Amino acid sequence: SIGNFNGSLSRSINVESLRPSDTFPRRHNSATPDEQSKMAEFCGFQSLDSLIDATVPKSIRLDAMKFNKFDQGLTESQMIEHMKMLAGKNRVFKSFIGMGYYNTAVPPVILRNIMENPGWYTQYTPYQAEISQGRLESLLNYQTVITDLTGLPMSNASLLDEGTAAAEAMAMCNNILKGKKKTFIIASNCHPQTIDVCKTRADGFDLKVVVADLKDFDYSSGDVCGVLVQYPGTEGEVLDYGEFVKNAHAKGVKVVMASDLLALTLLKPPGEFGADIVVGSAQRFGVPMGYGGPHAAFLATSQDYKRMMPGRIIGVSVDSSGKPALRMAMQTREQHIRRDKATSNICTAQALLANMAAMYAVYHGPEGLKVIAQRVHGLAGVLAAGLKKLGTVEVQELPFFDTVKIKCADSKAIAEAAYKSEMNLRIVDKNTVTASFDETTTLEDVDKLFKVFAGGKSVPFTAASLAPEVPDVIPSGLVRETPYLTHPIFNSFHTEHELLRYIHKLQSKDLSLCHSMIPLGSCTMKLNATTEMMPVTWPSFTDMHPFAPVEQAAGYQEMFDNLGDLLCSITGFDSFSLQPNAGAAGEYAGLMVIRAYHLARGDHHRNVCIIPVSAHGTNPASAAMCGMKIVTIGTDAKGNINIEELKKAAEANKQNLSALMVTYPSTHGVYEEGIDEICKIIHDNGGQVYMDGANMNAQVGLTSPGWIGADVCHLNLHKTFCIPHGGGGPGMGPIGVKKHLAPYLPSHPVISTGGIPAPNEAQPLGTISAAPWGSALILPISYTYIAMMGSGGLTDASKIAILNANYMAKRLENHFPVLFRGVNGTVAHEFIVDLRGFKNTAGIEPEDVAKRLMDYGFHGPTMSWPVPGTLMIEPTESESKAEMDRFCDALISIREEIAQIEKGKVDANNNVLKGAPHPPSLLMADKWTKPYSREYAAFPASWLRSTKFWPTTGRVDNVYGDRNLVCTLLPTNGVEEQEAAASA
Amino acid sequence: SIGNFNGSLSRSINVESLRPSDTFPRRHNSATPDEQSKMAEFCGFQSLDSLIDATVPKSIRLDAMKFNKFDQGLTESQMIEHMKMLAGKNRVFKSFIGMGYYNTAVPPVILRNIMENPGWYTQYTPYQAEISQGRLESLLNYQTVITDLTGLPMSNASLLDEGTAAAEAMAMCNNILKGKKKTFIIASNCHPQTIDVCKTRADGFDLKVVVADLKDFDYSSGDVCGVLVQYPGTEGEVLDYGEFVKNAHAKGVKVVMASDLLALTLLKPPGEFGADIVVGSAQRFGVPMGYGGPHAAFLATSQDYKRMMPGRIIGVSVDSSGKPALRMAMQTREQHIRRDKATSNICTAQALLANMAAMYAVYHGPEGLKVIAQRVHGLAGVLAAGLKKLGTVEVQELPFFDTVKIKCADSKAIAEAAYKSEMNLRIVDKNTVTASFDETTTLEDVDKLFKVFAGGKSVPFTAASLAPEVPDVIPSGLVRETPYLTHPIFNSFHTEHELLRYIHKLQSKDLSLCHSMIPLGSCTMKLNATTEMMPVTWPSFTDMHPFAPVEQAAGYQEMFDNLGDLLCSITGFDSFSLQPNAGAAGEYAGLMVIRAYHLARGDHHRNVCIIPVSAHGTNPASAAMCGMKIVTIGTDAKGNINIEELKKAAEANKQNLSALMVTYPSTHGVYEEGIDEICKIIHDNGGQVYMDGANMNAQVGLTSPGWIGADVCHLNLHKTFCIPHGGGGPGMGPIGVKKHLAPYLPSHPVISTGGIPAPNEAQPLGTISAAPWGSALILPISYTYIAMMGSGGLTDASKIAILNANYMAKRLENHFPVLFRGVNGTVAHEFIVDLRGFKNTAGIEPEDVAKRLMDYGFHGPTMSWPVPGTLMIEPTESESKAEMDRFCDALISIREEIAQIEKGKVDANNNVLKGAPHPPSLLMADKWTKPYSREYAAFPASWLRSTKFWPTTGRVDNVYGDRNLVCTLLPTNGVEEQEAAASA
Ligand SMILES: Cc1ncc(COP(=O)(O)O)c(C=O)c1O
Ligand SMILES: Cc1ncc(COP(=O)(O)O)c(C=O)c1O
Ligand SMILES: O=C([O-])O
């Protein structure tokens, strides 16, 4: 009675169906094969492939891309296994190396709720202030931490690393003195990588860098614009720079001080010595070392130089209701950078890490930070006292904060002994080591170090037993007296619940990829998949010091080698440098490679760089920083480079031609047909082709920079290769080069490096970033993306990115003019809609449309770049048809709203676009004075009824903010008044 | 010129200041020592200690608590190191054990955004529907998954595990037949743990369980209420139950089927056989095995029995604007459970895990699930085919889905060989093993298994080579034909971006501890710290099968031993069972221990359980489930147990007294002075004292159940010991006992277990949960909490919890009557404010106040329990003074709003309380018809201007929903209509 079975059917199982099913490309690429066909048909093509064939010029089309490894793509769980294998090859020793990188206890609440939280890491740079008030507040906190601790009133919202921050400060000194004094002196007590980055950077500015012992500084030439000193010094010494600064100032020399935030909780701040600029890293404020980065660097200065400060600055302004609201100050500086007059090209910075550091300060508060600093200082004191007692070595007598300098008979032998106990010391020279302490150092560590210095024998005392007799070595004149972090924000959120809620409160104000598409042309805001993000916070990756012996980092090194190989396959290049830690840093590095190449061939005169007018502002800025002469060429009516003009420019500069910088597909979103011809013209005239790889998302698997004919290219890993934007960084800008350029790729003064794979010979151009492999900790993101997609998945991604852009362009073309198309009427992976006409017909500007889009729950596209008065839309392959349809519906609906103005039905000055965005406070106000209805303002589309992301302020007034520049938290009274005003 | 140093100052470093600084108690406990004094003074005491002395009766006060380990508390990073050490001791072999627990690929986007996301895991059970629409939707998705796959129309929103779900179904059969047929037959093809849990549970219902082979089922007695069969069977066989069900029904016997969701994507659903109830586990839908739990179990049934269904049910209703809105259906059932008539005591369930499983179905969709199932089935087919080919063993001929049953000469030898390859098989008996496959099984695994069965020799074929010739073994009559998961929700979110946004969309509708305090009396919604949560998702903990050989789980076992020891120190007990996986399960287990004790002593007649009227509904329900006779006793005017009445009841039942159930401090929030006397009375009359440990947060370190005189107690680890509530589970309810009861603690049929530490002899009462140590995966949370707090930190937690409650009571007492206080006028860790008066003076009910609190951004306190018409407030030690002040301000402001009604200034039927909550859709509507203003409704407190959590619907109509019970997603048309209606 238990059922009768009808015998078995025979079948044949396809082995493919038995392969692991957790494949990744279908999670990353949105359109299913069926949708691909339908969307291609909608665009007027029979299939996706015929759309692609019509779009990508045949002359540059690749047959197929093939990888040496991972060609098929790993599944998500296979990927995690592979990464675990690599992680297992990293041996994390306890680091006492210091040199700007310290162990830190990342507060778990910050780790989970910021670093591991897509609500924070997928945000874009806060250009759209009304949907970014959370991170703007956090970055303002960061600026306040920096100004309070350094004792200088102005700070930016992060730079790339301490080395480049010092280089930026050097450039400021040059600017302050209007380029008239061309010597910059660096004290030998600075970190070696800081010195090298400055030296490399000085070249392009025609500055002479002199490295000298502090006591040998010589201003007698009258040619010195500035000096850089470090406080505490790289070997630990804490010096009183009072007289030194007075002396420099007396000679008209600007003083830059590299410093350490934790030390500054105990030490007299540089501002009180009179330093003009202070730079450093916020890494040890709760950001893991990560084998070199990403970390937020800082730069603080006085009111006098604030408008020369590089990077983004957050400032306080007011919104349309007169309530306080934050936004990026002086934005226009950045949007167009200064082009040929630029002395900085920084764009993507380190926002996410700045936010982590700021939250660390918020969590610990001034008292908590001081406790940490005193403990570190106390332990260092115990080490020094113990070593003196031991008598086997000699301890430096100068005051120190966290680093003890030790003279010994054989530093290498000491270091070897330390390795045996899984500890890394810094070897300064044959007879000198240093030990830097940090938040994670313990009494037991100190005991272990005693044993190392006692030649492995046990010592007759312990760290604990010594503590009561340890003398303080900081002279009273250097003890900090000025209070810091007195604002309530730093004195309220010290329990985990309070901090958790503060983090979530800020997050709730910010639109991210968790809410809706962020269709920013040129920014490639695609999926940042969880599997890609997971290894980033594994201790075997986070806890590695960048200057640890390379053999301890075998997992990292294997990943670098694999990644270099994959990137070569993708780009058609022969070697890669992973050092540049942003796109603009890559541009600069790439041009410096070209410069070094010409110099090596004796072509000292080759210094002309041709750049199309449509280039991103960082292009001319980078060229200017390399000391190049920029020749601008125009584009034709179709948005393409004017080849005739290019040819003329190249020939006219034949003798001195260094390079062309070209973005491909163009910043106009078009595959220029003449790109191979363009490359040929440059080469024929002795130049090198630099390709800006920002639009690489339209090339991968279909063509490649190397195949097209470029000699160098940077990749924005934070665009094409899935590193999340982090609200304005981190990013990575590795550069790939053809064989002839590989020898010139950057190296590093502490850990030597170069091209991957390595060229036969090396003549490195110098050092680009503070860390040998830039922000190594985020490389697993791009690596896993590529390895999971495989060559096929990546090629599909490019195709679908193009499909999506064409689909949206098609949906919008009857409502807005679409500027620039390829020969067959298609666009590349992004496209431009023209709003210029509406200025006349309705008084509407792109900003009005972007702000109104917020009411529809969307982040506006790239505004007025590369063409003023337009919006550039890039959907990426990760956005679904449903999401794109919603976005198109929103834009079409806004077009209707504009039509109402055009028809005169609606007031041109008082309408739903000019009034946008509409925050709840406005929509729920008792008084409603708008000529349109609340519901029309709030719910212009039906999908918003089920959930809507709300802007938290009315339109922010940029002009007011720039006129009344306030870049730190208001003092408490101010806050209370403003809050009272806000709730009135 | 480099500065002159003023020589060193001498100092003496306190060694304590050199200890690691990332201590935990200050992050968990809110009040600083300074705040403690000020708040105690505000309450009228000189110090916190004097407040505590006045509050906790001297007679039960402990001198001090002391731990054998972790007494000082580890710091956060030390804790992580310790947990890594334990994790390293777990050796995770690939599991082919099956038996209801399978490997699964947790989609990383679900792992990070639900399981590791405090926005989801800190939510409370969705009683307050208007601020819970997100998880209500997700749970409705879960119910739809269950109903679609089982083919039965009604499902609840999760039960504790498959074993207890089967036991609940058994109780339903008993109920359906009104308790008149007392035999329940269980097929021997059910999992052994399912059988044992049912057997144990049957005892209290006076049911006779017969375990029999299917072919031996005998209904001739006429006494059979139901049968339980498994589909597929525990050893893999897939049987056609068509005739079987018909036959049972013909005899008036109800059919329960235990089934497997993944199998049901391919197999004819049980509903189509006519099964009355289907139970099972949703674990393999993306929830890690976690050494046994937590996972969501399910129970589906027909419309006929829906009102007998245990557990929570989510249903569709409408809100005050007539728009569709979700809420828990038939809530009143739960609030008071059925007390002495109860046949189920389930309260905390497995909401978080049900949400994960539902999202897994949403992510994969019907097609994706089928692909997974076919792959698993295909691989199992390949194994069977290969083994047949090999000929060394005999393969069961019955059809199977994922489990292959193999007869062999020596099953232990085979298993040992498999261990060598880090694989676990199930040993069924001396000559039988089974291998169960799952989503993570690979072709390589199958090859490895071939090798094991070939005695280590290599075999002449591979899994891949065999695939094309594998026959299908599922008979056509058992192939599923009915479609499932056809709703758009299961067919839209298949890319990571889409799922990410769906998860975040739902999350954005739900208030959690990320937003504000959730002051639920008796629920102890304290901080769930990140460090506590981190190990929960480490693979060494997640990927362990509960029936893996214990020596592979040495890390888990060490943690259990340590935790048992710590809990003994905390409670004053001698042994613990970690098996019960919720508080109510603990109550039941504890009473069953007492029952077993009496039985063992020959006291078969001792079956009277005295329970105060103020007890939580689970108390009488649990007693009823143990077959006890409940004698209810009253409380006096002060809310204390009426000792005279108790004494009378005890003496009257002297012969038959089994137990007293008592909550301490009382559910009224008071430390009853007579508690030691109460215990004595019970003991004097031959009874045992069962203490409900729900209020343990007011005892830890100050007193203890053991010290007070209790014999058994359960601990809600999801209250006092930091397991987050997960939106309605998971929880854990371990029980502690005095020495004389230790032998009776539950064991397990597969992996034998018992008290920790183990008693000398064991006479286990049976099996309480499906897994030997309950939801082992979440035990690290409580373990790390205790180990980081140390004895001192925990004692401070209790003190501050009491301080906080007294502070709030003091702030509120001039505005609301505070019911019940101790002899010195203080309250315990929670207190009751009385709203009963407002019914007459203003027509206001507790619900109105709770809903209005939402407008202030808060979750209401426990409503109308234990005293109707009141609110019970429990702040916990983790809430800061600032947060409590905001909450008190809100309540005081609401009191003012009530006063306006009382004074006649405001309409009693149409006011801001009756209109609450006010969602944005209402506040922004063009029409505003309320007699109060929009801003008054929306922003009744100034802090709401800076951020506010918005309810997403108007007040939900419970009555309408219960009258029109809809417990699955509406068919698409309905949805569209409702959406159209909603946006109209
Ligand atoms: C075309 C182009 N080039 C260069 C850059 C600079 O890259 P990064 O911001 O990483 O420095 C960008 C950034 O948006 C860009 O769009
Ligand atoms: C006093 C009391 N006892 C028992 C329980 C039941 O615990 P659980 O929900 O974990 O089953 C509760 C739950 O709220 C409770 O408050
Ligand atoms: O910040 C960027 O312009 O990408």
Side-chain angles (χ1 to χ4, degrees), chain A residues 347-348 522 582-584 587 616 618-619 692 694 714 716 718-719 865:
Chain A
C347 186
T348 289
S522 205
E587 293 173 29
H616 192 263
T618 49
N619 287 189
D692 179 326
H714 79 267
N716 297 62
H718 47 300
K719 297 182 178 182
W865 187 85

Side-chain angles (χ1 to χ4, degrees), chain A residues 637-674:
Chain A
K638 289 184 178 157
N640 295 324
I641 288 178
N642 197 322
I643 297 192
E644 274 317 300
E645 193 181 338
L646 170 81
K647 200 165 176 184
K648 268 191 214 145
E651 285 168 0
N653 291 286
K654 195 180 172 74
Q655 293 312 317
N656 300 321
L657 187 60
S658 176
L660 164 76
M661 294 189 86
V662 60
T663 306
Y664 199 77
S666 76
T667 58
H668 289 160
V670 176
Y671 292 92
E672 299 184 71
E673 293 284 328

Side-chain angles (χ1 to χ4, degrees), chain B residues 700-717:
Chain B
V700 180
L702 304 176
T703 183
S704 80
W707 180 247
I708 290 168
D711 301 287
V712 201
C713 176
H714 79 267
L715 300 178
N716 298 64
L717 298 189

Side-chain angles (χ1 to χ4, degrees), chain A residues 2 9 11-12 19 27 112 121 240 375 468 470 472 494 496 498 501 513 530 879-880 926 935, chain B residues 2 9 11 19 27 112 121 240 375 468 470 472 494 496 498 501 513 530 879-880 926 935:
Chain A
I2 299 304
L9 299 168
R11 65 171 170 179
S12 171
R19 307 265 174 230
R27 302 306 191 183
R112 173 160 286 194
Y121 62 66
D240 185 336
R375 187 176 162 276
V470 170
D472 192 345
H494 298 170
E496 185 164 334
E498 288 292 328
R501 290 179 193 150
L513 286 175
T530 313
E879 293 303 337
S880 68
D926 290 340
E935 291 194 44
Chain B
I2 301 304
L9 300 168
R11 65 172 172 184
R19 306 263 175 232
R27 303 305 192 182
R112 172 160 288 193
Y121 62 65
D240 185 335
R375 187 177 162 275
V470 171
D472 192 347
H494 299 169
E496 183 163 337
E498 289 293 329
R501 290 182 192 147
L513 286 175
T530 314
E879 294 303 337
S880 68
D926 290 338
E935 290 193 45

Side-chain angles (χ1 to χ4, degrees), chain A residues 767-970:
Chain A
T767 305
I768 293 293
S769 303
W773 296 278
S775 295
L777 183 59
I778 52 178
L779 290 176
I781 303 168
S782 301
Y783 179 63
T784 52
Y785 170 63
I786 296 168
M788 288 193 293
M789 292 290 275
S791 58
L794 287 174
T795 306
D796 285 347
S798 303
K799 290 180 183 175
I800 296 172
I802 294 165
L803 175 69
N804 282 354
N806 278 285
Y807 175 78
M808 290 186 78
K810 189 80 192 168
R811 278 216 54 200
L812 293 172
E813 67 182 14
N814 293 331
H815 307 274
F816 298 90
V818 172
L819 274 185
F820 311 131
R821 299 179 188 258
V823 288
N824 295 313
T826 55
V827 299
H829 66 309
E830 62 190 4
F831 64 100
I832 296 173
V833 294
D834 194 351
L835 308 182
R836 286 173 296 193
F838 304 133
K839 175 88 181 140
N840 286 330
T841 61
I844 290 299
E845 316 249 13
E847 182 174 55
D848 300 318
V849 175
K851 300 304 173 191
R852 181 60 176 153
L853 271 170
M854 292 178 190
D855 288 335
Y856 286 82
F858 285 113
H859 193 291
T862 299
M863 230 168 65
S864 292
W865 187 85
V867 183
T870 66
L871 295 178
M872 182 157 63
I873 298 174
E874 179 182 5
T876 86
E877 68 278 9
S878 306
E879 293 303 337
S880 68
K881 181 172 172 300
E883 183 71 3
M884 293 189 292
D885 279 336
R886 272 189 294 274
F887 190 86
C888 291
D889 290 345
L891 269 184
I892 293 166
S893 170
I894 290 173
R895 179 66 189 89
E896 265 313 299
E897 293 171 355
I898 296 171
Q900 297 295 308
I901 307 172
E902 291 174 326
K903 290 178 195 152
K905 296 197 177 159
V906 158
D907 183 336
N909 297 310
N910 190 357
N911 55 57
V912 78
L913 285 121
K914 292 288 176 194
H918 297 87
S921 54
L922 182 75
L923 293 163
M924 297 170 181
D926 290 340
K927 269 226 310 257
W928 181 256
T929 57
K930 305 282 185 187
Y932 45 88
S933 85
R934 294 176 196 253
E935 291 194 44
Y936 177 50
F939 302 109
S942 63
W943 71 78
L944 299 165
R945 295 275 176 179
S946 102
T947 1
K948 171 167 166 167
F949 178 83
W950 297 100
T952 58
T953 67
R955 199 178 297 189
V956 179
D957 189 335
N958 284 317
V959 177
Y960 176 94
D962 284 351
R963 263 198 218 126
N964 306 272
L965 202 57
V966 176
C967 301
T968 55
L969 290 164
L970 296 169

